[in-house]
Amino acid sequence: DIVLTQSPLSLPVTPGEPASISCRSSQSLLFRNGYNYLDWYLQKPGQSPQLLIYLGSKRASGVPDRFSASGSGTDFTLKISRVEAEDVGIYYCMQVLQPPRAFGQGTKVEIK
Amino acid sequence: QVQLQESGPGLVKPSGTLSLTCDVSGGSISNSNWWCWVRQPPGKGLEWIGEIYHSGSTNYNPSLKSRAIISVDKSKNQFSLKLTSVTAADTAVYFCAREADFDLWSGYDNWGQGTLVIVSS
C-alpha cells in the first residue's frame, strides 16, 4: 500500500504571510498519462473535507488562486501565497493512484 | 448541484453491523464515476474505507479485513455501506463522497455532511 507522510503536522501562520505543506509518497504517483494522482483536501473545523487540488496541481472549482500545488513522483507541496483567517483547518494530501486510496496524517494550520 | 446526505443509526452494539446510506440528490447516481466512504474517528485523521465504481465494481481498504461492503441502489439514487463485526474502534464520523469525471480523475468534489456512529453497548 502507498503511504503518505506530511510535514509539518502543525503549522502556525500569520495572516498575509505564505505557508507551505509537504507531502511525500512511499511510491511514485506519476501515471503513464503524465498526471500525478495526488489530491489536497482542507477540512475546516466542524466541516466535511473539501477538495482544493486534484491531479497534483489542478485547482478545484471555486478554490482561490492563493492556493497552488506542485511536485511530481513522490514529493509534493501545497502553498498558500497569503494566508487568510478562513484558511485555518486541517490539510490532507491523498493518493488516488491505486486502491486502497490513502490520506496523509494531516497538517493543522492555525493562526498565530 | 449534486448533494449527498448520509443517514443511519447513530448507535450500534459491539459485534453488530453498521449500516449507512448516502442519498444523492440533484443528479443521477449513474452520472458520476466513483462513490466512496471515508471515516474519521473522534479527534483523528481521515481514513478511506472503500468505493464503488459506476459499473458496480468495488475497492476496499484491506485494513478493514473484509468487513466492509459497499453497494448501489440506482432505483433509489443512493449507495450504502455495511460494516460487520464492529468494535469501539469503528466509532467515527462517516462521510460519503463522489468523484464525477468519467474521463480523467477530478477529485472527490462533493461530500456529505457526515454522520457520527458510536459503537457501544
Side-chain angles (χ1 to χ4, degrees):
Chain A
D1 296 356
I2 297 174
V3 176
L4 299 180
T5 303
Q6 290 184 230
S7 62
L9 299 184
S10 178
L11 183 59
V13 296
T14 300
E17 293 296 306
S20 179
I21 300 170
S22 170
C23 177
R24 287 192 168 177
S25 174
S26 61
Q27 299 177 35
S28 176
L29 301 181
L30 180 62
F31 194 52
R32 57 178 177 265
N33 62 4
Y35 290 104
N36 287 279
Y37 278 66
L38 183 104
D39 295 347
W40 290 94
Y41 295 85
L42 165 60
Q43 188 176 29
K44 295 183 178 182
Q47 295 186 18
S48 306
Q50 61 187 80
L51 176 67
L52 294 177
I53 302 287
Y54 63 99
L55 292 178
S57 61
K58 293 181 176 295
R59 256 192 315 273
S61 176
V63 174
D65 60 9
R66 64 178 181 274
F67 291 93
S68 65
S70 61
S72 185
T74 60
D75 290 342
F76 300 89
T77 303
L78 176 71
K79 294 182 179 178
I80 310 173
S81 59
R82 294 175 304 279
V83 173
E84 297 189 4
E86 65 182 25
D87 299 335
V88 299
I90 303 177
Y91 290 77
Y92 295 92
C93 56
M94 181 185 190
Q95 75 83 10
V96 291
L97 179 66
Q98 62 190 48
R101 312 202 198 270
F103 294 93
Q105 319 97 299
T107 295
K108 187 173 185 178
V109 172
E110 51 193 1
I111 301 295
K112 283 182 181 175
Chain B
Q1 175 76 354
V2 172
Q3 293 188 315
L4 309 181
Q5 178 68 59
E6 306 90 348
S7 62
L11 182 63
V12 180
K13 293 187 186 306
S15 77
T17 296
L18 178 159
S19 296
L20 296 175
T21 296
C22 182
D23 288 306
V24 179
S25 60
S28 170
I29 200 167
S30 299
N31 290 342
S32 290
N33 204 20
W34 290 102
W35 301 93
C36 81
W37 289 95
V38 171
R39 70 180 181 178
Q40 185 171 39
K44 295 189 177 180
L46 301 172
E47 180 183 28
W48 182 83
I49 296 171
E51 64 192 357
I52 187 163
Y53 194 47
H54 65 89
S55 66
S57 63
T58 52
N59 294 307
Y60 297 103
N61 193 329
S63 69
L64 295 172
K65 298 181 173 61
S66 302
R67 296 189 294 125
I69 299 174
I70 298 173
S71 59
V72 165
D73 187 334
K74 292 184 179 180
S75 67
K76 295 182 178 178
N77 219 38
Q78 63 184 202
F79 64 109
S80 301
L81 168 69
K82 289 190 187 301
L83 187 63
T84 61
S85 305
V86 297
T87 69
D90 295 309
T91 293
V93 174
Y94 287 75
F95 298 98
C96 58
R98 72 128 195 203
E99 189 276 331
D101 201 313
F102 289 104
D103 293 323
L104 186 65
W105 179 264
S106 60
Y108 291 127
D109 64 345
N110 237 300
W111 294 71
Q113 66 187 30
T115 187
L116 174 63
V117 179
I118 297 172
V119 178
S120 174
S121 56

